[in-house]
Amino acid sequence: GSLWAWGDRRSFGFDLNDEGNTFPNQVMSDVRSVSLSGGAVKVIKNDNSLWYRSSYKTPQKIMDDVLSYSGCYASYVIKTDGKLYSWGQNTSGQLGDGTKNSTGWFTSYDKAIFILDSVQKVQGMSYAAGVMKTDGSIWTWGSNNGCELGYSENENLEQLTPKLLFEGRDITYIDKVSFQCNEVSTSVGEYIALPIILTPCYANYSIIKYSTDNPSIATITNRGIVSAISSGSTIIRAHVTDANGVT
């Protein structure tokens, strides 16, 4: 979709009037998600590229193959292969690399550190972070101030590496799978992530099997990444097994 902005341009660097705008102005297109934090805008476009905009008058592309972004003083991205990377401030171990050494601010993305694989969701807070892995397990790290790590017994704890908070539920079936949109499109030779919704939400994504009616038009991986092979259209199907063993 398109991204629109209004207000004081000095807050996020949009090329608006110095006095700010009281009405929306379109500032980017082909946007899949947006995050506002640390005085900057982070945008993931439909081609899975991550863009940054702060004091720049034009957006700055900083990374490819990004499925999701979260962050505040530290930044976290899940790449299309399920790997989690972090960079930024690390005063309380919020990067999760076993140290309290910072890489810099958001623009130190070239120093991104691999933290975990098989990550489905991430949430970055000021001094802590947590993820849900594809098996449904929850992991947290950083500062436990305010019990943000989920441990009530020690608010002074600083966990420098991801620690298992609780195991995922052993879900061997999915009640329902639905697509977030009826159609997706991309250019030949490009790829796009297929957004889906599972019921229950903690169900295991890895048991979904995808197929395409015409693989000469587009192919799809077992992680839901659609690649355009040639011009045309095809139907993508998600196959799951319900509680009665019916596919």
Side-chain angles (χ1 to χ4, degrees):
S2 57
L3 176 63
W4 297 68
W6 57 96
D8 188 348
R9 66 170 295 181
R10 293 170 295 181
S11 297
F12 298 106
F14 289 121
D15 194 15
L16 308 176
N17 297 330
D18 288 334
E19 298 81 7
N21 284 66
T22 57
F23 56 90
N25 287 260
Q26 183 175 349
V27 292
M28 292 186 73
S29 58
D30 299 320
V31 172
R32 177 159 58 85
S33 65
V34 60
S35 173
L36 305 177
S37 62
V41 180
K42 295 90 174 181
V43 169
I44 300 177
K45 305 194 78 172
N46 290 329
D47 63 358
N48 295 326
S49 59
L50 177 64
W51 296 71
Y52 167 74
R53 187 167 190 162
S54 180
S55 58
Y56 300 93
K57 290 187 176 180
T58 57
Q60 180 185 14
K61 179 181 176 180
I62 64 171
M63 193 175 292
D64 287 310
D65 304 324
V66 175
L67 282 182
S68 66
Y69 169 88
S70 182
C72 186
Y73 299 129
S75 293
Y76 310 88
V77 297
I78 302 173
K79 303 291 288 273
T80 52
D81 58 4
K83 288 180 168 54
L84 176 75
Y85 293 84
S86 67
W87 69 92
Q89 295 299 295
N90 198 26
T91 53
S92 298
Q94 61 263 45
L95 291 188
D97 66 342
T99 76
K100 294 175 71 174
N101 300 324
S102 301
T103 66
W105 292 100
F106 180 80
T107 51
S108 65
Y109 55 85
D110 57 328
K111 300 176 182 178
I113 304 164
F114 168 70
I115 303 299
L116 287 169
D117 57 14
S118 302
V119 175
Q120 177 179 320
K121 297 181 180 180
V122 61
Q123 179 62 55
M125 296 164 281
S126 295
Y127 301 103
V131 300
M132 175 188 287
K133 301 192 73 174
T134 53
D135 62 1
S137 60
I138 303 296
W139 300 69
T140 59
W141 62 94
S143 170
N144 195 42
N145 184 37
C147 302
E148 288 188 333
L149 301 186
Y151 312 133
S152 60
E153 67 277 7
N154 184 3
E155 289 198 36
N156 295 320
L157 173 69
E158 287 186 343
Q159 177 66 36
L160 303 186
T161 57
K163 182 178 180 180
L164 179 65
L165 183 60
F166 62 83
E167 297 280 359
R169 298 184 61 174
D170 183 20
I171 299 298
T172 57
Y173 64 89
I174 297 173
D175 291 336
K176 180 182 178 181
V177 58
S178 57
F179 299 111
Q180 292 184 4
C181 51
N182 294 326
E183 297 180 359
V184 294
S185 61
T186 187
S187 302
V188 173
E190 301 294 331
Y191 56 87
I192 189 171
L194 190 64
I196 62 172
I197 301 173
L198 296 186
T199 305
C201 62
Y202 45 74
N204 193 340
Y205 278 73
S206 65
I207 66 176
I208 302 175
K209 304 299 181 184
Y210 294 99
S211 67
T212 173
D213 283 6
N214 193 341
S216 66
I217 298 295
T219 60
I220 184 167
T221 70
N222 58 6
R223 294 191 61 85
I225 306 299
V226 179
S227 298
I229 306 302
S230 61
S231 299
S233 62
T234 185
I235 297 175
I236 301 295
R237 305 180 190 275
H239 307 270
V240 297
T241 302
D242 65 17
N244 298 317
V246 178
T247 301

